[in-house]
Amino acid sequence: MVGSRAMSATLVETVEEPSPAREIEYCRSLEQGRILLFERPPFELPAAERSLLLAQRQSRAGYHKNIAYRPAQDRVTGFARGADTVRLRDALRLYSRRATEFAAWLLPRYARTWRLDLASFRPEEEAGRALPPRSRNDLIHVDAFPTRPTRGDRILRLFTNVNPAEPRVWLSGGTFEEIAPRFAPQALVDRARREGLGDRLRRFARAAGLKVAVRSPYDRFMLSFHHYLKESAAFQEAAEKSRLEFPAGATWMVFTDMVSHAVLKGRYALEQTFLVARDSLVLPEKAPIAILERIARAPMG
Ligand code: SIN
Ligand code: FE
């Protein structure tokens, strides 16, 4: 059921020269769980790069959900056989740079210490996409990365819908702040139950010389909360949902560890992720780690 509550987007009509006051206003909006939506492109991606991207397909190998670009290694993965990998890499590098320059210009406070994470291109139609349950994009969740723990730093994402005609459609079940009091306690109990076994397996793997990710309590919780939300019929069916359409050509920024989301339809989105340091936030008490520590009454870092 789609409720009447509109997903909280702040429409930015014109992007003016940033001032400290405007920056704080954008940070506050984002950290409270609003989406900054630019309906007109705030930076350009040339037509040649756009048409190259529209011709791409996803690799059929099950472990690649998107085409990913790693800025640190200047490397692309997940494209279909036969792709012109050099031109594809050049297009994604250009998007990643322009998106990063724009975000750093708009939000220098975050940019001073953020870590540049992956960029991605999402060429598949999301409606009816067959993915394993925990990878499904059409189930509402907050983001957590299995391979890149953040220890309480934040996941900020900048998306661009390069589809020439169709919107990208999201559904939200509210913010982490709204969801956590109701759903985090049960998820914490489930995690504690599963963790005994997980810890034994990790110790065994380490003893066998395997590289095992070391996750903070926060990262362990967020990853299991991501799975818990996707698997919880009670949460997925919770009445208050809101829908947002990102029109063709739109760009939007959002803390996806705060704003719950599912993507219902659309294809051809570009995205750049930034890991924003916890100590650069304007409202640190709104960070999921702070909310969680209040609920769990325990340090999670
Ligand atoms: C997601 O992060 O769940 C997917 C968002 C999107 O591709 O629009
Ligand atoms: Fe997500």
Side-chain angles (χ1 to χ4, degrees), residues 122 126 137 141 143 157 159 168 170 252 261 263:
R122 297 147 189 253
E126 296 290 345
N137 291 335
H141 63 281
D143 283 347
R157 303 185 113 169
F159 291 88
R168 194 167 188 85
W170 277 20
W252 62 104
H261 56 281
V263 48

Side-chain angles (χ1 to χ4, degrees), residues 231-288:
E231 287 161 5
S232 163
F235 172 68
Q236 295 297 325
E237 285 155 22
E240 271 234 80
K241 291 192 198 123
S242 51
R243 180 182 162 101
L244 193 66
E245 299 206 352
F246 302 106
T251 284
W252 62 104
M253 292 178 89
V254 53
F255 276 115
T256 54
D257 53 4
M258 176 64 150
V259 178
S260 72
H261 56 281
V263 48
L264 299 188
K265 72 201 238 354
R267 68 190 301 184
Y268 305 125
L270 280 158
E271 171 266 339
Q272 171 67 56
T273 299
F274 309 94
L275 300 177
V276 172
R278 192 181 170 190
D279 61 13
S280 66
L281 298 173
V282 173
L283 304 172
E285 71 282 3
K286 294 266 182 196

